[in-house]
Amino acid sequence: MSNALAVRGVVKKFGNHVAVDGVSFEVPRGVVYGILGPNGAGKSTTLRMINDIIAPDAGEITILDGMKPGGDAARHIGYLPEERGLYPKMHVIDMITFMGELRGLSASEAKKRSGQWIERLGLSQWAKNKVQDLSKGMQQKVQFATALIHEPALVILDEPWSGLDPINAEVLADVVEEIRKAGRTVLFSTHGMEQAEKIVDAVCIIARGQKVLDGRLKDIKRAATAEGIVALGWADDRAREAAERVLADKALVVEQRPPRPGDVADCEVKLADGTDSQKLLSALLGAGVGLRRFELVTPTLHQIFVDKVGAAAAVAERRPEDRHA
């Protein structure tokens, strides 16, 4: 499969701060790919380098199997920046049409597509209003239309769900799915891993400017499941007491922790290296432990991220020097 994007060893510094530190990943064509991580991780800086807004200090970026960031590649890219850029005094339909013409569409085609996007995104009653009259979320939908009006091969969205209510967030997710079905590629950044998990095919997770892991979502989750987290539920208090002796065996269990929020398990355990869930189950049943639940846990993306980089990094706040990230 050919690539929509290849990023190899990219580095970007701002003074003494390394915003992006040797990040590499590949985005196949026709997928939804997420760059995920906390605020200040380097996500927006990476997208700006791909869009030739800033240049990397080291490394290489290749777009659509051969092009470098710049004018030629820009014609094939639709970009929604984190900092929205609309003309507040323009009417909504004129704003979208104007951006279509800038993207190379004829005036008539730009106006036609503008009308289609206004209807698709539920903006019809606002079409003749000035952009400044719209809420932040509605303005974001206008900017989204300007990024997609020329039907780019590569769509790049920086924090696209920021400021959207749940209904409009679902509309945006539906449009992303339509782009994927059309065989085009979507690359987006977000710190909202719950939203990302619903739509991505593959991800690159970064923290403090460095890649933590990347790959197809199903492969990442399969690998995380194989690491051996088991949710346990006891039949009664007697079973709980009997289980304590089994769970104290470090050859079987290296960690016992509370269940995840909202879960009805009594606890979770992490299996020791060299063992598996069947050995633990046999030990529990052999000790006469009554079970109402025994389940190998498939963690969420957020849980995988916390396990890989730690809770502190997962909720890290943007520092003053990270404003470029």
Side-chain angles (χ1 to χ4, degrees):
M1 181 183 296
S2 61
N3 287 326
L5 175 69
V7 175
R8 299 184 178 92
V10 168
V11 175
K12 185 62 188 179
K13 300 178 181 179
F14 297 101
N16 294 326
H17 174 60
V18 182
V20 179
D21 188 4
V23 168
S24 299
F25 59 90
E26 293 184 353
V27 181
R29 290 180 185 254
V31 304
V32 177
Y33 193 100
I35 300 180
L36 313 179
N39 289 336
K43 305 184 300 296
S44 293
T45 297
T46 301
L47 297 190
R48 290 169 187 155
M49 288 188 285
I50 295 168
N51 281 284
D52 199 37
I53 297 171
I54 55 176
D57 297 316
E60 181 181 36
I61 298 172
T62 305
I63 299 167
L64 298 173
D65 292 318
M67 290 183 284
K68 302 300 181 184
D72 290 341
R75 290 194 290 271
H76 304 278
I77 294 174
Y79 178 44
L80 175 72
E82 184 178 16
E83 296 84 9
R84 313 309 182 209
L86 300 171
Y87 295 108
K89 301 293 185 181
M90 289 188 73
H91 296 109
V92 170
I93 191 167
D94 294 334
M95 178 77 248
I96 301 173
T97 301
F98 173 64
M99 293 303 295
E101 292 180 46
L102 288 183
R103 304 283 191 175
L105 301 178
S106 67
S108 60
E109 182 65 17
K111 188 171 184 178
K112 174 186 174 182
R113 294 191 188 184
S114 176
Q116 292 171 340
W117 274 110
I118 284 173
E119 182 176 356
R120 175 67 181 85
L121 296 176
L123 294 167
S124 298
Q125 70 183 83
W126 302 97
K128 296 184 178 180
N129 284 73
K130 292 181 178 179
V131 170
Q132 66 186 16
D133 297 334
L134 274 61
S135 68
K136 179 181 177 181
M138 298 294 277
Q139 288 185 26
Q140 186 160 337
K141 289 165 71 174
V142 174
Q143 183 106 42
F144 188 55
T146 67
L148 299 179
I149 189 169
H150 59 304
E151 297 182 354
L154 174 61
V155 177
I156 299 177
L157 310 173
D158 195 355
E159 296 288 356
W161 285 278
S162 176
L164 292 181
D165 60 56
I167 294 176
N168 284 319
E170 193 66 28
V171 171
L172 176 55
D174 289 344
V175 173
V176 167
E177 178 61 22
E178 291 170 8
I179 295 171
R180 176 185 13 214
K181 288 182 178 178
R184 297 185 282 143
T185 307
V186 178
L187 170 68
F188 70 90
S189 74
T190 184
H191 60 272
M193 296 193 188
E194 294 80 4
Q195 181 67 48
E197 188 167 6
K198 298 176 183 178
I199 64 172
V200 296
D201 298 299
V203 298
C204 175
I205 298 180
I206 60 177
R208 301 186 182 96
Q210 297 182 330
K211 182 172 73 175
V212 177
L213 78 165
D214 70 335
R216 296 187 67 85
L217 178 60
K218 63 180 182 181
D219 295 333
I220 290 172
K221 298 193 78 168
R222 184 183 297 118
T225 302
E227 291 180 1
I229 303 295
V230 180
L232 298 171
W234 316 125
D236 49 38
D237 290 340
R238 181 180 176 183
R240 183 195 308 273
E241 293 172 0
E244 289 178 359
R245 294 188 293 274
V246 177
L247 300 186
D249 184 353
K250 295 302 181 182
L252 287 173
V253 173
V254 294
E255 181 185 355
Q256 182 176 343
R257 55 201 189 194
R260 297 163 198 252
D263 199 347
V264 295
D266 288 306
C267 70
E268 288 184 359
V269 297
K270 182 173 177 60
L271 299 176
D273 292 340
T275 192
D276 58 35
S277 59
Q278 292 304 309
K279 291 180 182 178
L280 175 60
L281 179 60
S282 295
L284 289 168
L285 294 178
V289 177
L291 294 169
R292 63 177 175 82
R293 184 175 179 187
F294 185 96
E295 180 181 356
L296 197 59
V297 174
T298 299
T300 65
L301 259 182
H302 177 76
Q303 291 161 347
I304 292 170
F305 180 63
V306 170
D307 286 343
K308 293 295 183 182
V309 305
V315 297
E317 293 294 331
R318 185 190 296 263
R319 300 171 298 174
E321 65 267 31
D322 291 338
R323 61 188 180 275
H324 297 289

